[in-house]
Amino acid sequence: MRKKIDSDFKLNRRRPKFFGINELSALKAASLQLEFNHQATVDGCRGIIDYYENLIKLRVVGGTVVFLGKGLSISSLSDADVIIEGQIDSIEFITKG
């Protein structure tokens, strides 16, 4: 014989929310991957603000990333990924506020 279990548990059956491509890109956060101080991969880049041998400034989701160093260059650039190479001395994050 089965015993009935009293419970306040209710199934929450909501419809799934579907996002458009513009909404998905707004949800994506920027990420940064470093290989010691000679290479940085930035995922979520929205554009290049400044590009010099000793300074590279990128617009990312949520703000700006500034790379300072020597012999800096962009070795790869795609729709949302940037690879920076050279001697990276410092990285600064400037958030929108």
Side-chain angles (χ1 to χ4, degrees):
M1 178 178 193
R2 289 189 169 182
K3 191 175 188 181
K4 186 176 179 181
I5 300 172
D6 278 337
S7 175
D8 291 334
F9 178 75
K10 294 181 181 178
L11 292 176
N12 189 359
R13 295 182 187 234
R14 294 184 193 173
R15 290 184 166 197
K17 178 164 174 68
F18 295 99
F19 295 99
I21 191 71
N22 292 336
E23 292 172 306
L24 285 176
S25 65
L27 292 174
K28 184 179 178 182
S31 66
L32 176 67
Q33 181 180 356
L34 292 173
E35 290 187 28
F36 194 59
N37 72 334
H38 63 274
Q39 186 179 39
T41 303
V42 180
D43 182 29
C45 179
R46 297 254 174 125
I48 300 169
I49 299 170
D50 286 320
Y51 184 84
Y52 301 102
E53 185 179 330
N54 61 347
L55 177 140
I56 296 178
K57 189 184 286 189
L58 303 175
R59 181 176 296 114
V60 295
V61 177
T64 304
V65 179
V66 181
F67 294 89
L68 296 172
K70 296 178 184 112
L72 298 178
S73 66
I74 294 178
S75 65
S76 177
L77 177 64
S78 68
D79 289 343
D81 298 341
V82 175
I83 297 177
I84 295 173
E85 293 183 340
Q87 180 183 331
I88 300 169
D89 294 330
S90 69
I91 301 170
E92 181 181 357
F93 299 95
I94 303 168
T95 57
K96 291 180 183 176

